[in-house]
Structure formats: structure tokens, C-alpha cells
Amino acid sequence: MNTVQEFISITPWTIVFSICNLLILCALIKKFLFKPVMSVLEARQKEIDDIYGAADKDRSDAEALKAEYTRKMSGARAEADGIVRTAMDSARRKSDAIVSEANSQAARMKQKAQSEIEQEKRKAFVELQGELSGMAVDIAEKMVGREINDRDYQALVDDFIRNAGDAK
């Protein structure tokens, strides 16, 4: 039992050597294990930070592109609306011009028809005047029984026309 007691007994030099061994072991672990592991972890952390930074930059670039796309789309919409408005205005002006031209053409045709009617009326009146004057001369010759000269003829025609106009 004495041997067991010695084995379990605590001596101060053993404790000091154990603590020294522990400190040396910690220093070696720190130098050869923790420093390389920490440098690997720091490098890994830097890579992760770079990846997150790139992702944030890409996200902000994507948002800027989206804003630019939205702005361009609204500009394109406004431009398309402007083109449609311009086309509609142009079509309306052309339509108005066509209607105006048709109206003026109809007015010219109406005016031409009225002038032709007036010419036909004058022509018919002149023809009727000639026929009536001839009939009046024939009647006057028969009544007077003699031949009428040009001056008498013209006076009779004028008198007949004046009286024919009064009879209306």
C-alpha cells in the first residue's frame, strides 16, 4: 500500500514540472497549431468578406440596372404614347383635310351647277325672246298688213318684252 500511496502522492516538484510541461506544450501548440490555423481562418474570413462585398456590390449594381431599366421603360412608354398621339393628330389632320377638300369640291360643283343653270336660263330666255319676237313680228305684219323695217322691228320687240315682263 505504500507503493500505491507514493504513486498517488503529490510532490511539489512534480507539480512544477507538470505546469512547466503544460506551459511549454501550450507555447508549442500556440506557435505551431494556433498561428497557422488562425492565419487560415483569417484568410478564410477575408475570402468570405470579399465574397459578401462582391455580392453587395453586385446587388447594388443590379438595383441600379433595375432602376435604369425602369426609367428607360417609362421613357419608352412615354415615347410610345407620344408617337401614338402624334399619329392620331396626324390622322385627324388628314381626315379634316380630306373632309375640307370634299366640302370645297362639293361647293365648287354646286357653284358650277348653279352657273350652268343660270347660263341655260339665259340661253333659254334669249331663245324664247328670239322666238317671241319673231312671232310678234309675224302678228304685227298681219295686223298692219305691211312689212316692218329693222327699226320698227326692234321697237316692237322691246315693247313686247317689256309688256311680257309686266304680265308675269
Side-chain angles (χ1 to χ4, degrees):
M1 177 120 191
N2 215 356
T3 57
V4 173
Q5 249 182 359
E6 263 182 42
F7 182 69
I8 298 180
S9 71
I10 299 178
T11 59
W13 288 109
T14 307
I15 293 176
V16 170
F17 283 126
S18 292
I19 290 176
C20 284
N21 281 337
L22 182 64
L23 290 176
I24 292 173
L25 185 62
C26 283
L28 289 174
I29 288 176
K30 182 178 178 186
K31 182 173 182 167
F32 293 112
L33 183 66
F34 284 137
K35 282 188 179 180
V37 168
M38 288 306 283
S39 66
V40 168
L41 288 177
E42 285 174 2
R44 192 67 132 153
Q45 185 65 40
K46 185 177 182 282
E47 285 179 30
I48 291 170
D49 290 342
D50 289 345
I51 289 171
Y52 278 128
D56 287 341
K57 183 182 176 288
D58 289 345
R59 183 181 303 129
S60 66
D61 289 347
E63 287 173 0
L65 286 174
K66 181 181 176 186
E68 179 72 17
Y69 171 78
T70 303
R71 186 185 59 78
K72 284 184 179 179
M73 286 303 291
S74 66
R77 249 186 229 115
E79 186 177 339
D81 289 343
I83 290 170
V84 167
R85 247 190 320 272
T86 303
M88 288 179 68
D89 289 343
S90 175
R92 190 176 305 117
R93 282 193 304 268
K94 284 181 182 179
S95 171
D96 291 344
I98 289 170
V99 168
S100 174
E101 179 64 28
N103 286 338
S104 66
Q105 211 171 32
R108 282 193 305 266
M109 289 174 71
K110 184 178 176 183
Q111 182 67 28
K112 184 178 176 184
Q114 286 178 345
S115 68
E116 287 177 0
I117 289 171
E118 282 296 318
Q119 284 179 345
E120 289 296 321
K121 280 167 96 177
R122 280 190 227 115
K123 187 177 174 184
F125 183 71
V126 168
E127 286 177 9
L128 185 62
Q129 186 179 14
E131 287 179 20
L132 287 177
S133 66
M135 287 181 0
V137 169
D138 288 342
I139 292 172
E141 280 181 355
K142 286 182 185 177
M143 288 174 74
V144 173
R146 66 178 176 95
E147 200 171 300
I148 299 176
N149 63 12
D150 283 341
R151 199 179 68 203
D152 292 337
Y153 170 76
Q154 192 61 36
L156 282 173
V157 168
D158 289 340
D159 186 45
F160 180 76
I161 290 173
R162 273 193 302 264
N163 289 337
D166 290 341
K168 287 183 182 177

